[in-house]
Amino acid sequence: MGYERSVSAPDHTQTPETVWELEMPRIRFGRDAVEELDFQFADLGVEPGAHGLLVTDETLVSLGHADRVREQLDAYEVDVYDGSAREPSTEDVDECLSFIRDERGEAGYDFYVGLGGGSCMDTAKAARTVIANGGEVLDYIAEPTGSGESITESGPPLVLMPTTAGTGAEISPVAIFSVEEKEVKEGISSDHIRADAAVLDPTLTTTLPPEQTAKTAMDALGHAIEGYTTHSYDSLLRAEDPTSRPVYAGRTPVTEMFSEKAIELLSSNVRRAVHNGDDLEARENMLQGALMGAISGLTAGASLCHAMAYPVGNRYHTYHGETIAVLTPASTLDYNAASDPERFVELARMFGVDTTGLNTREAADRLKGEYVRLQRDLNVLPSGLAELAGIDESDLDWLATQTVETQQRLLRCNPRPVEKEDVEAIFRDALYNWE
């Protein structure tokens, strides 16, 4: 069940991994970093007069963020595609591809900008990738859902600009979409899909409403926690050659460092950001924490919680961040705590839990309680799967089956072996995190 590449697997001929690597876009961070966007594109070799596409959504156009970005690109011709959908499907990406081909033909644009949350940025990433390699989105999604074709071209320069502090899509080598006819969420996963640069400006996040601020923050915390508690890179099996090394390759000393700082920044600033969206210092710390959580979780690898979240999001169309929020206590902080109790004691201390006199299990339980208390303090998150989407006992068998059958790329990262019965029990535990 997803452990064929784990050193603990009973039958294997490969040897443990001994090499880790870290790859990410060029990162430009800070207040008013958007004002350096023209310099960023010049630095990527985009000549004045080039024709680019800004991929965003209608809300960000109405808030003026799209115009602010375009103003910084006055040396270029820029079209705007504002049809990005929340929790996009492959059909939504196909609409963006049709726009590009109608406007510019099969060659597409000279450069791309993705502005928004993870949905906008993943749409921009996938659109550039498909235009550069030809075909359609499903050609590059792994079998059996898609054709599993190799991605060989990155395409023209792509810069991503998050307006939320959470998804990490600006640095991720994965783009996630619903495949609605098969009721699954799948990803295009390749270093070629990664953006060339990420420009993170906290002033773009101040218009995010409290509820969305909380939801995206929980996704960021999920990245940091899962990245800190997943397999070490050298407890996974070595790839047959460097080109086949998975993008989620296990935690390293570097990703652990980013996890620790991310948890500190996110847990100590999220209440301020949710309850006072104009607190620019809190917004800056949240965006920085989300970036560090993404470097950790999206390099080391998201695990069981994210694997369980995708079937929920696909069937019930829930926001990814709030789905992560309701699943984290039962999955990462309870079930997975048995994988390495001492590591979870350290995690509890990062959340400010006084572990004096507690054994490891008691400390892990206290951590779970502190995480739930944080969610309750935000006052905008659901209390569990029941409140999130009306999920009840009758839904759990299907959700557990979908998790183990469609999310093996994430389950291979989980630090504790998991079977369908385990997943069903975790879903049951997550129905109610508090009354």
Side-chain angles (χ1 to χ4, degrees):
M1 305 303 294
Y3 289 86
E4 68 278 2
R5 293 185 58 78
S6 169
V7 173
S8 61
D11 298 311
H12 64 82
T13 58
Q14 293 173 288
T15 57
E17 181 62 271
T18 60
V19 176
W20 62 265
E21 57 186 299
L22 184 66
E23 183 176 346
M24 65 188 64
R26 303 180 191 184
I27 296 172
R28 193 177 300 271
F29 184 99
R31 301 181 190 185
D32 299 320
V34 66
E35 295 176 7
E36 298 185 7
L37 190 57
D38 56 345
F39 176 84
Q40 181 64 80
F41 273 107
D43 196 37
L44 291 171
V46 179
E47 299 289 342
H51 199 160
L53 179 66
L54 172 61
V55 178
T56 188
D57 62 30
E58 292 179 347
T59 298
L60 293 169
V61 170
S62 68
L63 290 171
H65 291 316
D67 283 342
R68 187 179 176 199
V69 168
R70 292 184 74 186
E71 287 170 3
Q72 305 306 317
L73 297 173
D74 57 2
Y76 309 105
E77 186 175 351
V78 180
D79 294 341
V80 176
Y81 176 77
D82 65 0
S84 296
R86 177 175 74 86
E87 305 291 337
S89 66
T90 53
E91 287 83 357
D92 293 319
V93 181
D94 286 339
E95 290 184 13
C96 183
L97 290 169
S98 295
F99 178 92
I100 294 170
R101 287 167 173 154
D102 288 345
E103 294 293 324
R104 297 284 293 176
E106 290 296 328
Y109 286 88
D110 300 322
F111 66 90
Y112 296 86
V113 185
L115 172 71
S119 298
C120 293
M121 291 188 285
D122 277 359
T123 300
K125 288 155 68 176
R128 177 186 73 151
T129 296
V130 174
I131 290 294
N133 290 273
E136 306 297 336
V137 180
L138 281 172
D139 294 337
Y140 303 103
I141 289 176
E143 294 179 320
T145 303
S147 300
E149 293 184 17
S150 297
I151 297 172
T152 60
E153 303 294 331
S154 297
L158 167 65
V159 175
L160 296 179
M161 307 183 68
T163 59
T164 69
T167 69
E170 66 272 13
I171 68 161
S172 170
V174 179
I176 301 294
F177 308 102
S178 297
V179 184
E180 294 182 346
E181 65 272 20
K182 297 188 177 182
E183 292 191 308
V184 296
K185 274 201 171 186
E186 292 281 7
I188 302 176
S189 177
S190 168
D191 281 326
H192 286 293
I193 204 172
R194 202 190 305 265
D196 298 281
V199 175
L200 294 91
D201 185 339
T203 67
L204 291 174
T205 69
T206 57
T207 55
L208 195 65
E211 186 175 357
Q212 285 299 102
T213 299
K215 291 172 182 177
T216 53
M218 293 301 106
D219 190 19
L221 265 176
H223 293 152
I225 296 169
E226 289 172 59
Y228 187 74
T229 57
T230 190
H231 286 295
S232 173
Y233 77 99
D234 55 2
S235 68
L236 297 172
L237 294 178
R238 188 166 199 162
E240 293 181 0
D241 64 76
T243 62
S244 63
R245 182 174 290 126
V247 293
Y248 292 166
R251 75 174 190 271
T252 71
V254 171
T255 64
E256 288 185 356
M257 175 182 67
F258 280 112
S259 283
E260 292 168 6
K261 188 63 177 178
I263 292 166
E264 173 194 332
L265 287 168
L266 293 165
S267 64
S268 62
N269 285 278
V270 63
R271 292 175 176 88
R272 289 168 55 189
V274 168
H275 296 306
N276 179 10
D278 293 325
D279 185 336
L280 192 53
E281 180 183 46
R283 291 288 194 182
E284 185 171 32
N285 287 336
M286 290 296 296
L287 191 60
Q288 192 166 215
L291 171 64
M292 293 182 179
I295 293 170
S296 167
L298 301 181
T299 300
S303 53
L304 176 60
C305 182
H306 273 73
M308 295 172 66
Y310 289 131
V312 173
N314 191 61
R315 169 168 273 200
Y316 302 100
H317 304 290
T318 55
Y319 281 101
H320 179 66
E322 64 181 349
T323 312
I324 295 297
V326 301
L327 289 172
T328 293
S331 57
T332 308
L333 302 182
D334 193 336
Y335 182 84
N336 278 350
S339 66
D340 186 352
E342 291 295 338
R343 179 161 290 271
F344 281 82
V345 173
E346 289 303 313
L347 192 58
R349 294 185 183 120
M350 292 178 208
F351 271 84
V353 174
D354 182 0
T355 61
T356 304
L358 302 179
N359 62 38
T360 54
R361 186 70 252 185
E362 291 168 339
D365 288 344
R366 192 75 61 84
L367 167 63
K368 179 181 176 182
E370 179 61 24
Y371 180 90
V372 170
R373 187 167 73 88
L374 171 62
Q375 291 195 57
R376 298 189 71 171
D377 284 351
L378 300 181
N379 203 38
V380 291
L381 292 170
S383 60
L385 290 170
E387 183 180 355
L388 173 69
I391 295 171
D392 61 27
E393 187 76 28
S394 66
D395 301 306
L396 303 187
D397 179 78
W398 184 90
L399 288 170
T401 299
Q402 285 293 103
T403 300
V404 299
E405 290 186 355
T406 70
Q407 299 300 321
Q408 289 303 309
R409 91 185 156 84
L410 294 177
L411 292 181
R412 73 172 288 278
C413 299
N414 202 59
R416 182 181 176 187
V418 60
E419 303 288 344
K420 179 195 166 186
E421 293 75 15
D422 303 316
V423 178
E424 187 169 345
I426 297 165
F427 273 122
R428 184 174 294 107
D429 191 23
L431 289 173
Y432 303 97
N433 290 322
W434 68 83
E435 297 296 336

